Amino acid sequence: MSEKNKNSVSFEALSSLDAPVPFWKGIPFGLQHVMAMFVANLAPIFIVASAAKMTPAQSATIIQAGLLVAGLGTCLQLYGAWLVGSRLPMVTGISFTYVAAAVAICADKGYGAVVGAVMVGGLLELALGLTAKYWRRFVPPIVSAIVVTSIGFSLLNVGATSFGGGSGAEDFGSWQNLTLGLVSLVACLAFQLLMKGTAKQLSVLFGLVVGYVAAIGMGKVDFSGFRDLAIVSVPQFMPFKPEFDWGAIISIGLLYVVSSVEVLGDTAALTKVGLNRQPTERETAGAIAGDGLISTVSGLFGCLPLTSFAQNIGLVAMTKVVNRKVILSGGLILVLASFVPAIAEIFNSLPQAVLGGCTIMMFGNIILSGFQMIAEAGFTQRNITIAALSLTIGIGFTQVSDIFAHFPALFQQIFASNCIAVAFVVAVILNAVLPGEEHFLASKPDQR
């Protein structure tokens, strides 16, 4: 056997769930999974921290925590504990599902209410995971598709706000901000079009780097946070005092239900593209429970909820790398990165316009993923009716929130500005009450 073959890892080992792979030789493949999700993991934190008007130190604290819980969540999903964790090659990260609701809660109740809701909601998702076999039949693919589509639409104004310079920015919409957003967006697109294979997964990272360099040249980067920065720092436990507000808990709790539905689809997609089979009941339930448990832990560190990352499922589809030991190295890299404050500070100094230029494309992709899921669920007349009404009511009514003016205050807090929750509830109700497809079909024409 040649020296090259001795030092390489076989494709058979990488594409096998539990084949023995030397830890050090698996690191490059694990690092690839980290790079595919790194930016998307921190972007929700960055957006919510900006909306909550956090100090640079506070923002850096939750970015640091975001790296820690993403790594711990990945390790939990890979190997599991009791009935918690899928034991599949899942990589977890901070979820965009909760961004719009968290921003709204920050404006009304403050970030402490978000933290309290994250902790309680995580326990709800843990319970949903452990009881998944009893309720999953009530959530067909069309409902999951509507949820994903509404998530994408709910984030469009968030991306546009970042593109203009961030909420409350004195120079919002200035030509400098719009130029930075456009430069970042063009860099993302160019990288995705010109690169081949798995390198395409790094297009957002490339766009951020190009935008960051351009921002430095325009004098838009504040380097003051790097002064007296420690080389190593331990992530802070409970850096924010949690507040348990019922409106915030119900609002975020509904999104945990939505996230549980998303995980059903993610688990099925992962086992299909990576293992060429359907997930077992234990794997699906464990995946949901794992997301719930690590999300509660995330709240204890002052951070946002986590979920399995679609970016990494896409990477599995392209590379077929599913070896748990290989992906474990990626999870451990995230944990180690959480102890290096400089990493958090780099993202903390990133101008909002640069982030907006990159994330606006990501949000559009979420919408398109939802459309694809609707197509996969089938364009039956019943599904079209459910999708049309759910999206129209969910997105339309929340754009004119005064329509809920005479509803109870708690109802308004949960639904008035949360199109995901409204679309989900409407979709579930319609799926339960509408008759079967045969009632939607036109009668046969007369045979004359």
Side-chain angles (χ1 to χ4, degrees):
M1 185 182 291
S2 67
E3 192 65 29
K4 181 179 178 180
N5 288 336
K6 285 181 181 179
N7 293 326
S8 64
V9 182
S10 70
F11 174 76
E12 288 76 14
L14 292 173
S15 59
S16 173
L17 203 57
D18 292 303
V21 174
F23 182 80
W24 296 108
K25 291 181 180 179
I27 286 179
F29 302 97
L31 183 61
Q32 182 172 250
H33 273 273
V34 170
M35 297 301 287
M37 59 76 71
F38 197 87
V39 174
N41 176 54
L42 298 181
I45 300 173
F46 197 65
I47 292 167
V48 175
S50 176
K53 295 179 170 52
M54 292 186 184
T55 65
Q58 290 174 322
S59 181
T61 295
I62 60 171
I63 290 172
Q64 193 177 358
L67 293 169
L68 175 66
V69 293
L72 293 176
T74 298
C75 296
L76 176 63
Q77 289 288 18
L78 286 170
Y79 288 97
W82 185 52
L83 298 177
V84 180
S86 65
R87 299 177 186 170
L88 291 171
M90 280 185 164
V91 177
T92 63
I94 306 300
S95 174
F96 272 111
T97 300
Y98 305 85
V99 169
V103 168
I105 293 169
C106 284
D108 186 32
K109 301 289 183 181
Y111 191 70
V114 174
V115 172
V118 168
M119 293 165 59
V120 175
L123 297 176
L124 169 64
E125 189 174 21
L126 173 62
L128 286 172
L130 297 177
T131 59
K133 64 181 180 180
Y134 300 110
W135 59 261
R136 61 179 298 179
R137 67 181 181 276
F138 298 110
V139 186
I142 187 61
V143 175
S144 303
I146 290 164
V147 166
V148 173
T149 306
S150 60
I151 288 169
F153 278 114
S154 74
L155 291 170
L156 291 184
N157 68 327
V158 176
T161 301
S162 292
F163 200 102
S167 178
E170 293 181 1
D171 61 344
F172 185 84
S174 67
W175 70 266
Q176 293 99 330
N177 285 333
L178 296 180
T179 299
L180 282 176
L182 184 61
V183 166
S184 303
L185 176 58
V186 170
C188 284
L189 289 171
F191 192 88
Q192 194 169 57
L193 290 171
L194 296 174
M195 299 305 291
K196 296 180 180 179
T198 57
K200 287 179 181 288
Q201 294 291 325
L202 304 180
S203 61
V204 173
L205 182 64
F206 179 78
L208 287 177
V209 171
V210 172
Y212 194 75
V213 172
I216 293 173
M218 295 170 66
K220 297 282 288 182
V221 178
D222 181 8
F223 290 105
S224 61
F226 289 93
R227 296 175 192 153
D228 304 319
L229 199 65
I231 297 175
V232 177
S233 174
V234 178
Q236 294 184 38
F237 183 75
M238 295 192 73
F240 300 92
K241 182 180 178 181
E243 297 176 15
F244 300 100
D245 175 81
W246 274 112
I249 290 171
I250 295 172
S251 183
I252 294 291
L254 272 173
L255 293 178
Y256 271 107
V257 177
V258 168
S259 183
S260 299
V261 175
E262 284 186 80
V263 176
L264 291 176
D266 287 343
T267 310
L270 178 62
T271 54
K272 179 181 178 181
V273 301
L275 302 172
N276 197 30
R277 62 172 174 83
Q278 291 295 313
T280 66
E281 195 171 84
R282 161 66 182 80
E283 288 169 341
T284 299
I288 297 171
D291 279 2
L293 180 59
I294 196 61
S295 292
T296 293
V297 172
S298 182
L300 291 172
F301 282 92
C303 205
L304 299 172
L306 293 91
T307 192
S308 55
F309 258 39
Q311 289 93 327
N312 296 87
I313 296 172
L315 191 57
V316 167
M318 285 193 295
T319 65
K320 304 302 180 185
V321 175
V322 297
N323 189 282
R324 291 194 298 173
K325 195 170 183 180
V326 165
I327 298 174
L328 174 65
S329 66
L332 295 177
I333 288 170
L334 285 169
V335 172
L336 290 175
S338 71
F339 289 85
V340 183
I343 294 175
E345 190 54 45
I346 289 171
F347 280 88
N348 203 29
S349 63
L350 190 74
Q352 278 277 332
V354 174
L355 184 73
C358 295
T359 55
I360 203 164
M361 186 169 69
M362 291 167 56
F363 298 158
N365 285 337
I366 294 173
I367 295 173
L368 292 177
S369 296
F371 289 164
Q372 289 173 337
M373 290 173 68
I374 292 174
E376 290 172 2
F379 286 114
T380 64
Q381 194 58 48
R382 186 177 191 273
N383 283 351
I384 290 172
T385 302
I386 294 172
L389 277 173
S390 301
L391 292 174
T392 301
I393 294 172
I395 298 170
F397 282 26
T398 52
Q399 287 181 343
V400 190
S401 56
D402 287 346
I403 202 169
F404 298 106
H406 296 288
F407 283 75
L410 182 61
F411 185 96
Q412 291 185 50
Q413 185 178 343
I414 297 166
F415 293 105
S417 60
N418 191 341
C419 76
I420 307 167
V422 176
F424 173 68
V425 170
V426 172
V428 169
I429 292 173
L430 289 174
N431 180 66
V433 302
L434 287 180
E437 176 64 16
E438 63 275 8
H439 291 273
F440 286 86
L441 299 176
S443 59
K444 294 181 181 179
D446 290 339
Q447 301 293 328
R448 294 187 179 181

